[in-house]
Amino acid sequence: FQKDRSAWNKVTEMPLTIQLNCESIIEKDSWLRRNHKHSLCMSLLNNKDNIIIGSDCHNLTDRAPNIADARIVIEKECGTERLAQLDGYTEQLLMR
């Protein structure tokens, strides 16, 4: 299911909030490149308004918080204005 691009297209067209985990945004190694997670995340970040960023943090060693690193990548690849839009959408969700 996860490798079926048509399934992803159907899901991303639904009126849902999409969470992208920081590790998939941060292009750290060839494993992420081979699985195209980074490019999929960049496509979603550039084309969808209903995105939030999640750290997927489980601890401070193996799965440490990495939101600051992901924000740097987003700002570099999508722009300061886009990062501000993501922050605004996240704030709207949290204030509901």
Side-chain angles (χ1 to χ4, degrees), residues 16-95:
L16 304 169
T17 297
I18 301 167
Q19 177 180 316
L20 300 178
N21 288 334
C22 294
E23 193 65 31
S24 296
I25 295 168
I26 301 165
E27 197 171 24
K28 283 189 171 181
D29 57 39
S30 61
W31 184 87
L32 289 175
R33 284 179 165 218
R34 279 197 310 271
N35 287 292
H36 307 291
K37 286 184 180 181
H38 178 79
S39 60
L40 174 61
C41 285
M42 289 301 109
S43 176
L44 290 170
L45 284 166
N46 284 311
N47 296 301
K48 301 292 179 186
D49 292 326
N50 54 336
I51 304 285
I52 60 171
I53 306 305
S55 72
D56 201 24
C57 174
H58 289 230
N59 56 49
L60 296 177
T61 54
D62 300 344
R63 308 264 301 263
N66 52 3
I67 289 179
D69 294 336
R71 291 177 60 81
I72 290 168
V73 172
I74 294 167
E75 186 170 25
K76 180 181 175 186
E77 295 195 25
C78 301
T80 303
E81 185 176 321
R82 180 62 179 135
L83 184 58
Q85 289 170 340
L86 292 168
D87 289 343
Y89 182 73
T90 302
E91 186 175 331
Q92 274 184 309
L93 283 176
L94 293 175
M95 299 309 249

